[in-house]
Amino acid sequence: MGFTTSSNAIGLEGIGVGVSIGTAGYYAVGEEQEDNNPVGVDDTKQAGAFQHDLGSIFFEYDLGAIKFGLDYHVQDIETPTNTNVQIDLQDNNTGDDGGTNTVKATFENHTTAYILAPVWGGLYVKAGAIYVDIKTQENLATGGEYPNSDTTGITAGVGFNHEVQDGISVRFEAMAAQYEDISAANSTDGTKTIQITDMMGANAKVSLVKAF
């Protein structure tokens, strides 16, 4: 009696696994709102952009005309620290330093469920839905803290797949993403909320894929 290691025998036909590395750019607008701001004090609002390297693993299933897949970032995405010096206009309008707020966020468990459809030759289009956890890290002179949150998003892009040999392929891919806005209330001061809007990103990466 002999043994076989074919993909059919062990039920792997149609399954693909891969790893990706690349770089991405992200943009968002953050605003801290306070219901009882004194006269002359506006809500703190600032836009920012940053670059971050990325690495992910993915699994997909080939249905012939399309592939369904799941991509997971093995690296967290960390924003730069934002520093905001508060001016105390209530102190006889002297403009004394009212303290410094520092805020940063870490995007964890960035997961994308996607559909990949070949177009012509090695060219393909790809679209999917994103889920990500957002962990906030803040030191607020204005008091309190903001809870962790999560958001969803959509992504779409194009790529090129080149099969090297024996089901091993190299892919080159460019994707854009848009994330849902989030809002959170200060844990110790209900008059303060923070809103993150216009979250978007774009990435370029190269992947190594093994199809069974």
Side-chain angles (χ1 to χ4, degrees):
M1 182 173 64
F3 294 92
T4 178
T5 58
S6 71
S7 60
N8 287 342
I10 56 179
L12 295 180
E13 185 178 14
I15 294 177
V17 296
V19 295
S20 301
I21 58 172
T23 188
Y26 300 94
Y27 170 88
V29 177
E31 181 177 13
E32 185 181 44
Q33 300 176 332
E34 187 170 358
D35 293 341
N36 55 356
N37 274 340
V39 176
V41 177
D42 296 326
D43 293 329
T44 302
K45 184 175 183 179
Q46 187 170 4
F50 67 99
Q51 177 272 337
H52 201 284
D53 293 334
L54 61 84
S56 67
I57 58 175
F58 60 91
F59 303 88
E60 58 189 27
Y61 188 74
D62 190 349
L63 294 178
I66 60 174
K67 294 181 174 71
F68 288 98
L70 194 66
D71 180 279
Y72 180 82
H73 283 204
V74 295
Q75 293 177 301
D76 294 337
I77 302 168
E78 296 184 354
T79 70
T81 299
N82 179 272
T83 301
N84 180 265
V85 178
Q86 304 294 302
I87 302 299
D88 187 1
L89 296 180
Q90 300 184 82
D91 188 12
N92 297 320
N93 290 323
T94 61
D96 289 343
D97 185 351
T100 299
N101 292 343
T102 61
V103 181
K104 68 180 296 185
T106 301
F107 294 80
E108 302 177 337
N109 301 317
H110 191 289
T111 305
T112 304
Y114 64 85
I115 297 175
L116 184 155
V119 177
W120 178 79
L123 185 68
Y124 63 86
V125 293
K126 182 177 175 182
I130 301 168
Y131 172 86
V132 61
D133 292 318
I134 303 175
K135 180 180 179 182
T136 63
Q137 302 157 59
E138 61 275 306
N139 183 7
L140 305 178
T142 50
E145 61 181 9
Y146 290 101
N148 298 331
S149 185
D150 59 67
T151 190
T152 58
I154 56 175
T155 183
V158 298
F160 185 82
N161 184 85
H162 173 67
E163 185 171 353
V164 180
Q165 63 177 9
D166 299 329
I168 298 176
S169 300
V170 178
R171 290 180 186 170
F172 304 92
E173 188 175 280
M175 302 288 292
Q178 180 77 46
Y179 299 87
E180 292 293 324
D181 299 342
I182 62 171
S183 178
N186 191 294
S187 61
T188 59
D189 187 346
T191 67
K192 298 175 182 177
T193 60
I194 188 170
Q195 292 186 345
I196 308 297
T197 61
D198 297 331
M199 289 189 289
M200 61 188 74
N203 68 71
K205 60 185 179 181
V206 58
S207 305
L208 185 64
V209 192
K210 170 60 178 176
F212 296 94

